[in-house]
Each structure stands twice: as C-alpha cells, then as structure tokens.
Amino acid sequence: MATGRLGVGETLGALNTALGPGDPVWFKETRARHLRARDFLAPRPALQARFGDGQVPERVVRAVAGLQGPGVAPVLRCTSTPAGLALQLQRPAVFERVLGAVAAYVAPAAPAAPGPRILLHCPALRSAPGALRLSQLRAVLVADHLARTLRAHGESVRLVPAVRDPHMPTFLQQLRVDWPAASERAATEALRNRALAELSPAQERGALPRGVLGTVCLKELVQERGRAAGYDPNLDKCLVTEDLLSVLAELQEAARCWPGDSPPSLAAAPDANADRCMVVHVVSCEEEFQQQKVDLLWRKLDDQAPLTQKHLVCGPVKVAGAPSTLTAPEYYELRHAQVCEASAAKHGRDLARDPAWTEVFSVLSVATIKFEMLSTAPHGQLLLALADSSISTKGTKSGTFVMYNCARLATLFEGYRHSMEQGLYPTFPPVSSLDFSVLQDEMCKFLVQLSMDFSSYYNRIHILGVSAQQNGVGGCGGAREAKDETSRPFLSNRHLDHTCLVKCLPVSSFCGPCVKCFTPA
C-alpha cells in the first residue's frame, strides 16, 4: 500500500501545474449533488481564458488523468463536461490511504516554510459584556476559533486587544475563550504628532469636542489602493480622537514587538516590519465601515504599518421571536437555563441541582452556543431559534443533537472496549484486511451531516450485541448475541455503507464531559 499523507493543497497544485503556466483554475468540489460525479473541477470559463476556445489539448487531459506525486490523491478519470474539466478520484484507494494512517491526519501537517506572523484583531472586545451584541459575539467566537486553528497548524498568532473591562475576562472564561487580559497602555505621542501634521486646516475644524483632535482625509489613500482592495468608496474623512489613537498604538506595538523578539533597532528601515506581519480584523458587519477607517488611518500615520491587512466580516445575527436588543450574556443565560431544564427532564430535578453537574451544564451550554454561531459561514446571515425545541436531541440542526450522537459514539466505543477485554468481542481487524471497495461516497464535511448519518445508521443497525443485563438472560445469551453480531464481515455493505462514520474525531472538540449527561438509555 502506498504511503505518505494525501493533501488537497498538494493535489490542487499538481492539477494546476498539469495545465501549464497561468493562474490556478482547479477547485475542490464540495456540493453534495456534484460530488456524485466529481471531486475537482476546472470551470469552463477559466479553461476558455487559458486555452482560447476552451478545448483542452488531449495531451493535457492525459497528463491530468495520470497525475502522480507526493501528497497527490490517486486519480480515477478526467473527463470534459459542459461545466468544465471534471476529475474523479479513486475513492476506495483514498479511503484506504487515509484510514490506514489516521494518526497522520489527526495531527496537522507542519507548514513547509514559516509564514507571516498573524495579528488577530477583534474590536468587539473593547466593550463591556452587557454591551456585546450577538453579531459581535459571533465575531469573538470566530476570532477565537481562527486563532486555535492557526496555532494548531504551527502559525505564530497574537491577539488584540487586551481586554480592559473588569467583567469581560469572566464572561470570556464562561465561553471558554482564551484571550489576553489588560496590559499597560501603549504610548500614543508619535501617532498624535503625525496625526496633527495630517489634520485638515484649522478653519475646517471649528470648535471640537474634548478628546477630538480633528479630521484626516482618507480619500486619496482609498483611490491609491483602488476599489479592488475592497474599501468602501464612500470613505472620505476620519475623525481622529484620543481613543482612536490608543487603538492604533496598541495595534502598532503588537505588530512591531512580537513576544520573544529582541527590541527593535532604531536604525531599522522604515518598512523593515511591514511585510513580516499580516493583520486580520475580525469584525461584525456593523463595525466594518469604522474598521476600514482604522486600517487606512494606521497606514497613513505609520510608515511601518503591515502591508497586508485583511477584514473578516461576520454577517448579521437575527433572532426569531425575540427582541433585537438581546445581549450576549442574556443569550448565554437563556441557553444555560434550557440545557439545565432539558437535563432535569431527562434525568430528574435532583440532577439539575447537583453542584457536581454545574461544570457539565456550563460546558454543554457553551458547546451549544459555539455550534450555533460557527455552523454557518461567517459572512452569511445567521438566524437563531431560541425556543426550547432548538436544543432538543430529536432535531437534526442543533449542537445538542451533535453532542448526543457524540455521546452515543463514546459510549459505544467504551462498551466495546470493556466487552473486548472480557472476551465477548474480537479485536479490530488489521486495516490491510478491510474491503475498501464498499466505500464509494464522499465523507461528511460537517458535524450535522455526520451525526445525521450516524444516527440513521445506529437506528437501523444494532452494532453491538445486547448485553446480559439488557437481554435478561445469563452470560451465555449475551455472548451468543455478541457472536452473532460480530460474526459478519466488519466492512460489509450492511455494516458500513455510510463512510462518514470513520470521521467522528472532530465531534469531541465541542465538548468534553457531555457523555455523562447524554448517555443513551
């Protein structure tokens, strides 16, 4: 069996190279209806731009069909379709490679070369918890998730701002969000002097309120960078305040003084640090316009401002049947109360009042909130249903449903392990003995799909034999059931026709002790 970790990036790189010089055109297919026929696609318009008439030379098609190389997935066929050049993988071979080396895929691949340092900026964390809107809470959770993901892949990440509101650290701790606390305020003198030099003429300023220095024109900078950069064409002037300079000073210091670095040299070139750091502003849609002003003002007042600044804008959060003024803490308390009520209904009121379960309910509440906030692409609108039914294990759209099936799996694996130690079940067969030809479908991409497939499979197939206690008979009866259940081929069409079952590990990242709370009856 071939060895080496397969990668989507490596496969895409090889596919684009096979087409010859030019911009990348291939993409990984993700839509369920298209995955039945293809795994990668080079769209027809892109091929027309590359080859003129859109007809891909036969030699290129043959090169794509015979693609090989480190990390490149084995190709089954490459065909020309109305949509473009469609490529299908040898899925049984891919599954065999992946399942034969699961540990290599669980651990993130080390980056080929050190990338730029990443400064994650979430402006919403400058407010108090009680003023945090749901759209801002979404931005906070996206920023936290992004930081964890980048660090897991070996990237160097720094978080700003350091929270200063005395109540915010407690709220973030409730949410299991790891964010730095307040530090000394950065000096603003240099930025203030530069801003004063850039201010509009005095006659245009008039009488200004306290803390306001004046206005700076950004129009020229917007035109210089071009609309292709994504800036709002209506950006014109920016009101410069002491608070805004404090924001810029914190960003400036965070980008220049990375932990572990030696103090910057005074003789350093003006743009010495400009290309070493990439800034990602994670903002709600309501904060987008103001954050673009901050971005441009930073560039205007600081010659060493990072050249690359990205804006990850989170879409609005709408609540069905609730006032639009619902705050983040109120949302948390609502979900926490619902989790406690659901657990009490399932296990009794005494359990809900047991201090030993306080932590479990808190973890479940946070897992439910994170699942709701992160299950929709960040740029899209998110619609929340706050009714009690939205956290039911009977539905198929909630985080609770996912955690319930995670608990099912954990209980199933634990029961198998104990029964195997008692001799009721055989050990897992070696990977080399499995029949991977029965695995033809795409694996699930999302936890909801995984849970739905597992729930459907579990309801149809009694995976493990009935125990002696459940069957009401002696040990022999239980052993006979176990023998009947495990005597069938391990990967038969009946036993594993939902290939997503092999991808259950990510579920556990949402909650830890939920097995106790949702152990199936």
Side-chain angles (χ1 to χ4, degrees), residues 89-372:
L89 300 178
Q90 300 177 27
R91 289 182 177 174
V94 172
F95 293 144
E96 183 176 7
R97 291 274 297 275
V98 172
L99 298 180
V102 171
Y105 293 88
V106 174
R117 294 164 167 176
I118 300 174
L119 186 65
L120 274 181
H121 175 221
C122 186
L125 288 172
R126 290 193 172 88
S127 65
L132 208 60
R133 299 186 299 272
L134 294 184
S135 57
Q136 292 176 308
L137 174 62
R138 186 184 191 186
V140 170
L141 296 179
V142 167
D144 177 65
H145 180 72
L146 183 58
R148 294 173 188 269
T149 303
L150 290 170
R151 284 169 173 163
H153 285 78
E155 302 293 345
S156 179
V157 180
R158 191 170 186 184
L159 307 176
V160 289
V163 295
R164 300 187 181 279
D165 183 88
H167 304 291
M168 185 62 83
T170 302
F171 183 61
L172 293 179
Q173 187 177 9
Q174 280 184 320
L175 295 174
R176 271 67 178 174
V177 170
D178 186 16
W179 205 271
S183 57
E184 293 183 4
R185 291 187 179 272
T188 61
E189 285 77 13
L191 287 170
R192 182 184 291 106
N193 292 336
R194 182 71 180 267
L196 290 173
E198 297 283 351
L199 292 178
S200 302
Q203 61 269 23
E204 295 183 14
R205 283 183 259 165
L208 297 173
R210 184 177 180 181
V212 177
L213 301 181
T215 58
V216 170
C217 181
L218 301 176
K219 198 71 174 179
E220 182 179 344
L221 195 56
V222 173
Q223 294 172 347
E224 176 187 319
R225 298 192 61 79
R227 292 190 62 176
Y231 293 100
D232 192 307
N234 296 315
L235 281 169
D236 185 3
K237 296 180 179 180
C238 177
L239 193 67
V240 181
T241 64
E242 293 290 352
D243 289 340
L244 183 54
L245 290 180
S246 295
V247 169
L248 290 179
E250 185 176 19
L251 288 169
Q252 182 185 64
E253 181 176 309
R256 290 184 182 181
C257 307
W258 213 262
D261 279 357
S262 56
S265 171
L266 294 177
D271 59 349
N273 296 319
D275 59 351
R276 296 178 57 197
C277 176
M278 178 174 72
V279 182
V280 180
H281 304 283
V282 185
V283 298
S284 65
C285 53
E286 298 92 342
E287 300 167 318
E288 178 184 8
F289 190 76
Q290 177 62 24
Q291 192 54 49
Q292 289 190 13
K293 288 185 178 181
V294 174
D295 173 339
L296 292 169
L297 186 62
W298 188 6
R299 298 174 191 271
K300 193 174 185 73
L301 302 185
D302 182 6
D303 294 331
Q304 297 186 43
L307 298 177
T308 304
Q309 296 190 44
K310 305 290 186 181
H311 295 250
L312 198 169
V313 181
C314 297
V317 178
K318 304 295 183 181
V319 180
S324 58
T325 56
L326 189 71
T327 65
E330 290 170 343
Y331 172 51
Y332 172 84
E333 292 300 330
L334 174 64
R335 284 294 185 235
H336 185 268
Q338 289 173 333
V339 166
C340 293
E341 184 64 26
S343 299
K346 186 174 181 66
H347 299 288
R349 296 287 173 183
D350 292 340
L351 180 70
R353 292 190 291 265
D354 187 348
W357 285 84
T358 302
E359 179 69 8
V360 175
F361 294 151
S362 178
V363 169
L364 290 173
S365 304
V366 172
T368 300
I369 290 171
K370 288 186 176 181
F371 189 91
E372 288 177 323

Side-chain angles (χ1 to χ4, degrees), residues 53-68:
D53 58 358
Q55 295 298 317
V56 182
E58 186 61 31
R59 58 177 178 78
V60 174
V61 177
R62 288 197 301 269
V64 171
L67 208 61
Q68 293 182 344

Side-chain angles (χ1 to χ4, degrees), residues 24-47:
V25 298
W26 289 92
F27 71 90
K28 174 69 178 74
E29 188 60 78
T30 59
R31 287 163 290 190
R33 68 180 185 275
H34 295 321
L35 282 169
R36 300 187 187 100
R38 67 194 186 218
D39 294 289
F40 293 87
L41 179 71
R44 180 65 59 191
L47 293 175

Side-chain angles (χ1 to χ4, degrees), residues 413-427:
F413 293 153
E414 186 67 13
Y416 167 77
R417 186 180 67 81
H418 284 302
S419 297
M420 183 186 67
E421 292 172 352
Q422 297 170 9
L424 296 177
Y425 296 110
T427 59

